Amino acid sequence: MKQPGEELQASETELDDRAVIDYLLRNPEFFIRNARIVEQMRVPHPVRESVSLVEWHMARSRNHINQLEENMTLLMEQASNNESLFYRLLHLQARLASAHSLDEFLSRFHRWARELGLAGATLRLFPDRWRIGAPSGFTHLALNRQAFEPLRIQRLGHENHYLGPLNGPELLVVLPEAKAIGSVAMSLMGRDGDLGVMLFTSRDAHHYEQGQGTHLLQELALMLPELLERWIERV
């Protein structure tokens, strides 16, 4: 037979957080019936030692509102960036699609990059994926996959994009005629990254750096091969 004190101790032990929460959920009028006691309750505070339950709830509400406002601002910024990206791509696609030759296509692509303040833009294609051998007239676009492979491993790894500097030997592989290149944005083209390489170049060594966004590069790397098929046959 339990002693009176033992029953009270057992009851207090069973009254854990879950039991209190369940009770309050079943009895939402508890705070109305005990409004005065609620106002007197104190909650531990890291700076002020303790605050009233009402102050604590108001602070949580303010923090929640601030977080919602920050999220809304971020969503608005992302929407603005996406809109800008959409129109930029649409404008470029229209210019490239209306080109009358491959040379004009490449020239318009290069000029578009120049309008963005870059040194230029270049496309290199893997000969085992495109018919660019003689006498096609497209041989200058060829990029030997075997020669490119060490650069790909070193700079790209398992990624499709690299942003940053290239050393002299690396530049000779992808941009043999380029001069005074400080940094590049280099992307593998095609959904599987096996069609070639797209390069944007800047004379500023810090213009392209790791950690920058690659959304625009990804969209271009998918769009350009489809436009190129107007002049060059795929293998």
Side-chain angles (χ1 to χ4, degrees), residues 96 99 101-109 123 227-228 231:
L96 297 181
S101 67
L102 179 60
D103 286 340
E104 186 179 354
F105 175 96
L106 297 174
S107 177
R108 291 186 178 191
F109 183 50
L123 299 180
L227 294 173
L228 283 171
W231 293 283

Side-chain angles (χ1 to χ4, degrees), residues 49-110:
E49 293 187 359
S50 68
V51 296
S52 71
L53 184 61
V54 176
E55 288 179 295
W56 178 76
H57 179 69
M58 290 178 65
R60 281 179 57 87
S61 297
R62 283 194 298 270
N63 290 336
H64 181 61
I65 292 172
N66 290 338
Q67 186 63 52
L68 290 175
E69 289 177 346
E70 290 177 4
N71 291 342
M72 182 61 68
T73 300
L74 180 59
L75 287 173
M76 292 175 66
E77 290 176 353
Q78 290 176 341
S80 177
N81 291 336
N82 288 338
E83 182 181 18
S84 175
L85 173 64
F86 171 77
Y87 283 111
R88 190 178 298 178
L89 287 171
L90 187 65
H91 178 57
L92 175 63
Q93 186 178 38
R95 291 173 64 175
L96 297 181
S98 61
H100 295 94
S101 67
L102 179 60
D103 286 340
E104 186 179 354
F105 175 96
L106 297 174
S107 177
R108 291 186 178 191
F109 183 50
H110 177 76

Side-chain angles (χ1 to χ4, degrees), residues 2 16 46 88 97 104-105 124-125 137 142 163 170 193 199 218:
K2 291 184 179 181
D16 57 10
R88 190 178 298 178
E104 186 179 354
F105 175 96
R124 302 296 305 278
L125 306 178
L163 296 94
E170 291 171 335
L199 297 114
Q218 180 63 27

Side-chain angles (χ1 to χ4, degrees), residues 5-19:
E6 293 177 345
E7 287 191 8
L8 179 60
Q9 185 176 5
S11 177
E12 289 177 348
T13 302
E14 293 172 2
L15 193 61
D16 57 10
D17 289 0
R18 185 69 258 172

